[in-house]
Amino acid sequence: MSQEPLIVVPQKAGIWSRLKDAQGAIVAEAWTYHRGAHQHVGRCHCRAPLVPGEPYVVGVRDAYPAACSAGHELVAYGPRPAKKTKNS
């Protein structure tokens, strides 16, 4: 009897979902932890690991850059600010 071949599912390119909240925005504490511990935050489209960079502000949102060893860059964003209502 032979064993069935193992199916290896490659990880999807991009920032890992464990660093995001339910709306898909980056969680700042998780990003800071991974950056301080020198841990990867995802995979590039070239399959290289993404290294987190220093967050910066773009308009009213925080941007979280990451780069791979081949020089490809990716930017993920923090949560959107709440929309103003007529009463506020």
Side-chain angles (χ1 to χ4, degrees):
M1 184 169 148
S2 65
Q3 180 182 357
E4 301 241 353
L6 298 175
I7 299 172
V8 178
V9 180
Q11 282 187 330
K12 198 171 155 184
I15 304 295
W16 290 326
S17 61
R18 66 176 169 248
L19 297 173
K20 298 179 181 179
D21 63 9
Q23 287 77 32
I26 295 295
V27 177
E29 295 81 20
W31 191 270
T32 304
Y33 171 78
H34 278 74
R35 189 168 184 273
H38 303 288
Q39 294 181 350
H40 306 305
V41 292
R43 290 264 173 211
C44 182
H45 64 86
C46 69
R47 311 310 297 154
L50 291 170
V51 178
E54 180 71 32
Y56 58 92
V57 177
V58 177
V60 294
R61 294 178 76 182
D62 292 332
Y64 297 89
C68 73
S69 58
H72 302 124
E73 295 180 354
L74 181 83
V75 177
Y77 294 96
R80 294 180 184 268
K83 291 185 178 180
K84 293 184 179 181
T85 61
K86 290 182 179 180
N87 296 336
S88 58

